[in-house]
Amino acid sequence: MKNVPFKGIIAYPITPFDDHENIDIPLFRNLVEKLIVSGSHGIAPLGSTGVMPYLSDEEKEAVTEATIQQVNGRIPTLVGVSNLTTERTVHHAKFAEQAGADAVMIIPMSYWKLTDDEIVAHYDAVAGKISIPIMAYNNPATSGVDMSPALLKRLLEIPNVTMIKESTGDIQRMHFLRKELGEDVAFYNGSNPLALAAFSAGARGWCTAAPNLIPELSLELYTAIEEGDLEKARKVFYRQFELLKFIVGKGLPRAVKAGLNILGQEGGNLRSPLKPLTDTETQQLENILKNL
Amino acid sequence: MKNVPFKGIIAYPITPFDDHENIDIPLFRNLVEKLIVSGSHGIAPLGSTGVMPYLSDEEKEAVTEATIQQVNGRIPTLVGVSNLTTERTVHHAKFAEQAGADAVMIIPMSYWKLTDDEIVAHYDAVAGKISIPIMAYNNPATSGVDMSPALLKRLLEIPNVTMIKESTGDIQRMHFLRKELGEDVAFYNGSNPLALAAFSAGARGWCTAAPNLIPELSLELYTAIEEGDLEKARKVFYRQFELLKFIVGKGLPRAVKAGLNILGQEGGNLRSPLKPLTDTETQQLENILKNL
Amino acid sequence: MKNVPFKGIIAYPITPFDDHENIDIPLFRNLVEKLIVSGSHGIAPLGSTGVMPYLSDEEKEAVTEATIQQVNGRIPTLVGVSNLTTERTVHHAKFAEQAGADAVMIIPMSYWKLTDDEIVAHYDAVAGKISIPIMAYNNPATSGVDMSPALLKRLLEIPNVTMIKESTGDIQRMHFLRKELGEDVAFYNGSNPLALAAFSAGARGWCTAAPNLIPELSLELYTAIEEGDLEKARKVFYRQFELLKFIVGKGLPRAVKAGLNILGQEGGNLRSPLKPLTDTETQQLENILKNL
Amino acid sequence: MKNVPFKGIIAYPITPFDDHENIDIPLFRNLVEKLIVSGSHGIAPLGSTGVMPYLSDEEKEAVTEATIQQVNGRIPTLVGVSNLTTERTVHHAKFAEQAGADAVMIIPMSYWKLTDDEIVAHYDAVAGKISIPIMAYNNPATSGVDMSPALLKRLLEIPNVTMIKESTGDIQRMHFLRKELGEDVAFYNGSNPLALAAFSAGARGWCTAAPNLIPELSLELYTAIEEGDLEKARKVFYRQFELLKFIVGKGLPRAVKAGLNILGQEGGNLRSPLKPLTDTETQQLENILKNL
C-alpha cells in the first residue's frame, strides 16, 4: 500500500499571537503538547485553523520547526505548505521535509481559477522535489476551485500524492470519491459537521480543530466507528454536533481561541483583521460547552 | 407517542400509462403488488415518482383507490395529496382518508414562494379536515420553498402533523433537524444517495423508488442499520450507490420504467412531455444493474 | 420578418377573486380595461401575475374569453397556456387561438427537469396544432429548467416560435442571447428590476405587472428608450426602481392587489394559500408609492 | 464633493514575467505607456489583472514605483494594496502614497470570512494612516465576502473612502447601490461584460483590462455614453462583447498575454501555476480579435 501515515483524529492547532500580533511560539508549543497528550493520532500545523495564509514565510518556517521539535516523533505531523505560486509551494514543501515532517498538505490556492492541467503541473512540480507523501486537499470554499473526482484521479497517479482530504461538506461527494477512486484510496474528512456521515462512509481520518476543545469526544467518535458501533457513534456525535457547527460557523481560529479562554486556558490573540468573538457569541459558546 | 405509522422502507410506485397516455390501472396494481410481496414496509402512491402533478383530479382518485384496494391492509399506505391551492389539497386529503389511507404526504407546492405564515395556514386548513396523520415534506428543489427547522417546529405543533420527510440532500440539515426538533420526532429520508448517511443519523425510514428495481438491497441496508452493523451497512450501500445516483440523476419515473424493462418486466409508458431514456442511457443502466 | 405582434409595454393583469375565492370576472375586465386605456401596448392574461397555475381548466378558459372580449382588438393579446403535460398545453393553446388571441406564451413547466429533446418535442407538438405565434419563456426560478441559448436557437427553428421572453434576471444572458441568436430575434424582458438594462441591451419589449400601479412610469421609460435619451431613461427608471424591486420581492399578485387598494381601487381577493401582504409590508408599499 | 480622481476608462495593466518568472519591469513600463498614449483616463497597477496576490512585497513595491515613474503625472494612478492582514495592507498603502499614487484600491481579502465590524476596522486602520482616497472594492468571487450596501454605507463614512468598485456581475446590485448610497457616490464597474448596463445605470467609470487589447473600443463606448447616445453605445458594446466575455472567462492575465502576442506585441510570461492559453483557446481569441 501507498505511504499513508495518518488514521483517526488529525488535530489542527491554532497559531496564537502575542499583544503585538507576533506569533507566540512557547504558547503554540503548549497547545501542540496538549493535543498530543490528549490522544490525537496526528498533528497538522499551518492549516486554515492555524491561519497559515496570514503568516510570512519566516513565520511559517518557525511554526514548522516548533511543531516538529515539540512532537518529537510521538505522532506523525502533516504540515500545510500551500501557496498561490508554485515556487513558494515548492520552497515550503522542501523546508517541511527537511525539518522532519511526515507529510505535507496542499490545496490548490486560486486567485485566478486554475485549470485542471495547471493544477496537475503544480502538484507535479512540488511532488518531484520532495519524497514525503502529499495530501491533496479539496475545499472549494477557500481555494476557489472544486477538484473533480477525475482530477483527483490524475493527482493520485503522482507517486507521492497518496491521500485526499475532502471538505466540500457534501457527503455524496465522498461516496462518489470512494466509488470512483476505489476503496484503497485513503480519504480524510475535513468538514466537522460531517464527521459521523464521513466515518460511516469509510473515511480513514478526520482532520479537525475540535480536539483543541473537546479531545475526548473526538476520540470517542472515532473509537465507536472503529468498533462498528453505530448506536454509540451516533450518540457521541450528537453530543458534539452543536459545538462542531458553532466553531465552523464562527471561524475556527476565533472560536477555538474563545473556547480555550472559556475552559480557563491560554489561547493568545488573533492577528488583524481577525477579531475575537463578540460577547454574545462567547456566551453562546459557553452555553454549548457547558451542555455537552 | 404520536401516530407515526411508518418505519423502514417506504416504497414509491411509478404511475404507468398505456399507448394513449392514459393510466394503466391493472399494471399499476401489479407494480404495487410486487413492492408489497418483496417486503416494503409501507407504500406511497402519488409521489414525485408517481408523477402526481401530471395527473387530473379524477386520475389521482383512481390511483388512490387502486392502491388501497391492492394493499388491502397488509402494509400502511401514504398518499400524496399536495396541490398548489389549499382547496384542492383539502379535497384530496379528505378523499384519501375516506378511501382508507393511513396517512397523507404534503409538500408546500409553490409557484409564488409562500411565506411561513401561509405555509402554516395551509397545513392547518388541511389538518383540520382530516384525522389521519400528515407527513410534512421538505424538498426545495421541487417545491421552490425551503422549510426551515423553525417552520417545521411550528408545523409539528399541529396535532396530526407527526412526520417529517427531508429531501434537501444535505445531511447536515438532518443532523440539525434531529438536534432542534428532538430525538422523538419521526424523520424520514427522501434523498436516495443519502440513504446510508441518513440512517446513520437516525432517520426512521427511507422514502424511495429503489425497491421497484432492487428491493432486496433496499431492505438489506435497513436491516444492517437496525442491527447496528455499520460495516455491513456500508458494504450494501456502496453496492447500490451507483444505481441510486443514476435513477435520481435521470428522473425517477424515466429510470424506473427503463429499469423494469431491462429486468424483463412491464413498466408501461410515460406521459408527455416526459420521454423514455435514450439508448445510451438505457445501456448505462443495464451495465449498472448487471454489476450490482 | 417573422410574426411578432408585440413591442413596448406588455401589461400583465392580476386575476382577482371574490369572497369565496372564485374568480371575479367583472372586476378582471375592469382591470384589463384600465391597462388598455392607460396606454399598454399589449396585454397578457394568465401569466404568473395572473396566478395561472392556481386555476382550473374552466377558469383559464373563462379568463381567456373575458380578456379577448374586453380588449376587442384594440391592442394585441398574449395568452399564457403553459401546463405540465403536453396534452393540456395543446388544449389551452388551441382554445386561445379559437378565442382570438394574437399569440400564446409557453414556459416549459417542469416537475421532473426536462431534457432539451423533451422541451423541443413539447413546443413542436403545440406549434403544430396552432397557427398563431408562440413566445418561448425562460424563467428557471419558476419552471425549474434553464433553457440555454443553444436550446432557444432550436426552438426558434419551429416556424411559429417567433419571440423569446427572458427572466433569468441576468443581463449578461440577454447580451449573450442577442449575440448568439442575432439582432433580428425579438426578445422581451420579463425581469422588472432589469428594465433599464434590458432596454439598453436592445429588448423589444417589457413584460410587466407594473402598469397595474404605475402605467405612466412604465410608458415613460419605454418612450425615453425609443428616443435614445439615456439620461431621461435612467432618471425615470430610478424613480420606479424601488417599486419594481418591492413588487417582485413580495410576489406580484400580492403586491399588485395591495397597491391597487392603496390607490383606492378594487383588487379583489387572493386564492389560498396566498395571503395579503402584512400590515408592515402594506405600509412599506404605501411609502414607496407616495415617494415615487 | 469628495476627492474622486477617476472618471471614464481606468486601465489595468498585466504584470509580465521573464523566462525565469521574474517581473520584467522594462516590458511592464512599455505596456503602461501604451495604455496611456492610447487614451486611458486612469491606470491601475497591482489589480487582479496584474496578479498582485502572486507577488512578493518587494515586487509590489517595484511595480508601484515603475508605474508612477512611467505615468509621470499624465493621468491619475490607482494602486492595489489589498492584503490578508491589516498590517501588510497599511504597509503597502503607505508605500503607494509616498511613491506618489493618487489613490489606492482595497478589497477585503478573506481567507476566514470577515465580519462587518472586522471589515470596517480594517479599512479604518488603513485610512487613518494615509491621506489619499481609497476605492473600496466589492468582488465576492475573489475576496470570499460580499459587502452589503449597508456595509458600504459604513465604509463611506470614513472620510477618505470616496469610491466604490462593484464586481458582483449583477446589475441590480448596482441599481440598488445607487439608490441606497445616493447619486453623488462615485461608483465604478469592475465587471467587463456588464459595461453597457453599468454605464446605463450611471457608473462613473469602468475598471478594465480590455484597453490592453482594444483601447479604441473601450473609449468609444465611454464617449457614446457621455454623449447620451444609447444606439451608438449599444452598437460599440456588442462589437466588443464577445471579447469581454472571453478574457473574463479565460482569466485576464492569461487572455491579455495571449491577445498581445496575437496582435504582434510582447506580453511576457506568466508566473506558475498560471499557464498560457491552449492552442485551441488562442485560436478562438484570434478569431474574436479578427472579427471585431
Side-chain angles (χ1 to χ4, degrees), chain D residues 23 29 38 57 61 96 151 164 167 231 245 277 284 288:
Chain D
I23 301 184
R29 291 184 66 150
S38 62
D57 286 354
E61 293 168 9
L151 172 56
I164 303 281
S167 290
E231 192 60 33
K245 254 185 87 81
L277 296 189
Q284 287 173 343
I288 291 172

Side-chain angles (χ1 to χ4, degrees), chain A residues 6-257:
Chain A
F6 301 97
K7 192 166 189 328
I9 302 300
I10 302 158
Y12 281 64
I14 60 168
T15 300
F17 298 89
D18 65 20
D19 289 349
H20 302 290
E21 298 199 5
N22 294 315
I23 302 185
D24 183 339
I25 292 286
L27 176 53
F28 173 74
R29 291 183 65 149
N30 243 347
L31 294 170
V32 168
E33 183 63 25
K34 279 195 291 186
L35 289 170
I36 301 168
V37 299
S38 62
S40 302
H41 305 110
I43 194 131
L46 298 174
S48 300
T49 306
V51 293
M52 186 267 275
Y54 299 74
L55 307 182
S56 71
D57 286 355
E58 296 70 29
E59 289 172 326
K60 291 174 193 172
E61 293 168 8
V63 167
T64 301
E65 284 176 331
T67 306
I68 288 160
Q69 285 165 18
Q70 188 65 33
V71 171
N72 198 18
R74 288 176 286 174
I75 55 175
T77 53
L78 172 69
V79 177
V81 300
S82 314
N83 199 284
L84 269 177
T85 72
T86 303
E87 186 268 332
R88 281 292 90 185
T89 311
V90 168
H91 170 85
H92 289 296
K94 286 168 71 174
F95 186 92
E97 176 170 38
Q98 282 152 19
D102 294 280
V104 294
M105 185 174 72
I106 299 177
I107 189 170
M109 283 186 161
S110 292
Y111 189 87
W112 287 105
K113 195 171 151 20
L114 299 176
T115 65
D116 280 11
D117 285 346
E118 287 172 340
I119 291 173
V120 171
H122 181 67
Y123 277 92
D124 222 26
V126 183
K129 292 291 182 2
I130 57 174
S131 54
I132 54 175
I134 294 173
M135 183 185 283
Y137 177 23
N138 189 39
N139 188 348
T142 56
S143 76
V145 61
D146 189 359
M147 296 195 283
S148 67
L151 173 55
L152 292 174
K153 222 169 189 166
R154 286 177 66 186
L155 295 183
L156 287 167
E157 286 166 13
I158 302 171
N160 50 341
V161 175
T162 65
M163 301 168 281
I164 303 282
K165 176 179 169 191
E166 237 292 309
S167 291
T168 52
D170 176 7
I171 189 64
Q172 302 193 28
R173 174 68 67 93
M174 215 167 272
H175 292 325
F176 191 60
L177 273 186
R178 187 181 156 110
K179 196 77 192 174
E180 284 294 294
L181 305 182
E183 286 192 25
D184 287 347
V185 166
F187 69 91
Y188 299 82
N189 169 44
S191 172
N192 285 305
L194 227 62
L196 174 63
F199 273 136
S200 297
R204 185 177 169 86
W206 176 19
C207 297
T208 176
N212 288 291
L213 302 179
I214 48 164
E216 318 78 21
L217 289 177
S218 313
L219 287 167
E220 272 180 45
L221 175 57
Y222 177 65
T223 310
I225 291 290
E226 281 295 279
E227 294 167 352
D229 186 341
L230 182 53
E231 191 61 34
K232 190 176 152 201
R234 189 186 298 150
K235 215 171 145 185
V236 70
F237 172 69
Y238 277 112
R239 269 187 69 196
Q240 62 191 296
F241 175 66
E242 215 170 342
L243 180 75
L244 298 178
K245 255 185 87 81
F246 183 91
I247 62 177
V248 169
K250 297 302 174 185
L252 295 168
R254 295 189 199 94
V256 167
K257 174 215 156 29

Side-chain angles (χ1 to χ4, degrees), chain C residues 15-19 21-31 266 268-269:
Chain C
T15 301
F17 298 89
D18 65 19
D19 289 351
E21 297 199 5
N22 294 314
I23 301 184
D24 184 339
I25 291 287
L27 177 52
F28 173 74
R29 291 182 65 150
N30 243 347
L31 293 170
E266 259 305 311
N269 290 314

Side-chain angles (χ1 to χ4, degrees), chain B:
Chain B
M1 199 193 189
K2 285 181 147 193
N3 184 358
V4 288
F6 301 96
K7 191 166 190 325
I9 303 300
I10 302 159
Y12 281 62
I14 59 167
T15 300
F17 297 89
D18 65 20
D19 289 349
H20 302 289
E21 298 200 5
N22 294 314
I23 303 184
D24 183 340
I25 291 286
L27 176 53
F28 174 74
R29 291 183 66 150
N30 242 348
L31 294 170
V32 167
E33 183 63 23
K34 278 194 292 186
L35 290 170
I36 300 169
V37 300
S38 62
S40 301
H41 305 110
I43 196 132
L46 299 174
S48 299
T49 306
V51 293
M52 188 266 275
Y54 298 74
L55 307 182
S56 71
D57 286 356
E58 295 70 31
E59 290 172 327
K60 291 175 193 171
E61 292 167 10
V63 167
T64 302
E65 284 177 331
T67 307
I68 288 160
Q69 285 166 19
Q70 188 66 34
V71 172
N72 199 17
R74 287 177 286 175
I75 55 174
T77 54
L78 172 69
V79 177
V81 299
S82 313
N83 198 285
L84 269 177
T85 71
T86 303
E87 188 267 334
R88 283 291 89 186
T89 311
V90 168
H91 170 86
H92 290 296
K94 285 168 72 173
F95 186 91
E97 176 170 38
Q98 282 153 19
D102 293 281
V104 292
M105 185 174 73
I106 299 177
I107 190 169
M109 283 186 161
S110 292
Y111 190 87
W112 287 105
K113 195 171 150 21
L114 299 176
T115 65
D116 280 11
D117 286 347
E118 287 173 341
I119 291 172
V120 171
H122 181 68
Y123 277 92
D124 222 26
V126 182
K129 291 292 183 3
I130 56 173
S131 54
I132 53 175
I134 293 172
M135 183 185 284
Y137 176 24
N138 189 39
N139 188 348
T142 56
S143 76
V145 59
D146 189 359
M147 296 196 283
S148 68
L151 173 56
L152 292 174
K153 222 170 190 166
R154 286 177 66 186
L155 293 183
L156 287 167
E157 287 167 14
I158 301 173
N160 50 341
V161 175
T162 65
M163 300 169 281
I164 303 281
K165 176 179 169 191
E166 239 292 310
S167 291
T168 51
D170 176 6
I171 190 64
Q172 302 193 28
R173 175 69 67 93
M174 216 168 272
H175 292 325
F176 192 58
L177 272 185
R178 187 182 157 111
K179 197 76 191 172
E180 284 295 293
L181 305 181
E183 285 192 25
D184 287 347
V185 166
F187 68 90
Y188 300 82
N189 169 43
S191 172
N192 284 305
L194 227 62
L196 173 64
F199 274 135
S200 296
R204 185 176 169 86
W206 177 18
C207 298
T208 176
N212 287 291
L213 302 178
I214 47 163
E216 319 75 26
L217 289 177
S218 312
L219 287 167
E220 273 181 46
L221 175 57
Y222 177 65
T223 310
I225 292 290
E226 281 294 280
E227 294 167 353
D229 186 342
L230 182 53
E231 192 60 33
K232 189 177 152 201
R234 189 186 297 150
K235 214 170 147 186
V236 70
F237 172 71
Y238 277 112
R239 267 187 69 196
Q240 63 192 293
F241 175 67
E242 216 170 342
L243 180 74
L244 298 178
K245 256 185 86 82
F246 183 91
I247 62 177
V248 168
K250 297 302 176 187
L252 295 168
R254 293 189 200 94
V256 167
K257 174 214 155 34
L260 288 170
N261 293 349
I262 291 168
L263 296 173
Q265 300 170 28
E266 258 306 310
N269 291 314
L270 298 161
R271 175 169 280 181
S272 298
L274 298 184
K275 304 275 181 222
L277 297 188
T278 63
D279 288 350
T280 315
E281 291 169 330
T282 306
Q283 191 57 54
Q284 287 173 342
L285 179 53
E286 205 168 328
N287 290 338
I288 292 172
L289 284 168
K290 202 182 302 172
N291 298 323
L292 277 178

